[in-house]
Amino acid sequence: MSELNTADKIAAYGGGGLVVLGVFVIGLLEMFLGSTHPVSGEGQIEHEALIPLEVRSGIILLGLLIWAAYAVYKVVATTPATDAGRTV
């Protein structure tokens, strides 16, 4: 098993932690502590989010951006360098 370097840890713990926080943890909080989902006279559900949707989606998006930056880093870091001046 290989050792995790600093970039691996940032992607795993930082990006993964933010995605889990935004999807799972805040979802559980909304389920257990959220409002009761009253229905208006027109039949539309009126829901006041415990944590604003902009904040929740921002947390998830930040985690995904960390993963995207990590993916670009891994592609660049593992691409072998070519010798442009070398003749065969």
Side-chain angles (χ1 to χ4, degrees), residues 5-6 8 10 18 25 29 31-32 45 48 64 75-76 78 81:
N5 63 20
T6 304
D8 295 334
I10 290 171
L18 287 171
V25 175
L29 285 174
M31 246 177 20
F32 293 125
I45 296 175
E48 291 290 328
L64 294 175
V75 167
V76 170
T78 59

Side-chain angles (χ1 to χ4, degrees), residues 2-88:
S2 65
E3 293 286 324
L4 295 176
N5 63 20
T6 304
D8 295 334
K9 290 178 185 176
I10 290 171
Y13 302 132
L18 287 171
V19 171
V20 168
L21 173 69
V23 174
F24 183 72
V25 175
I26 294 177
L28 281 177
L29 285 174
E30 286 289 335
M31 246 177 20
F32 293 125
L33 304 176
S35 64
T36 59
H37 304 292
V39 178
S40 71
E42 293 85 31
Q44 292 205 348
I45 296 175
E46 297 174 357
H47 174 63
E48 291 290 328
L50 185 64
I51 296 174
L53 295 177
E54 293 82 13
V55 173
R56 186 175 182 182
S57 60
I59 290 171
I60 296 168
L61 184 62
L62 183 59
L64 294 175
L65 287 175
I66 290 173
W67 281 348
Y70 174 72
V72 169
Y73 162 75
K74 284 304 253 189
V75 167
V76 170
T78 59
T79 303
T82 60
D83 292 333
R86 189 174 144 193
T87 59
V88 179

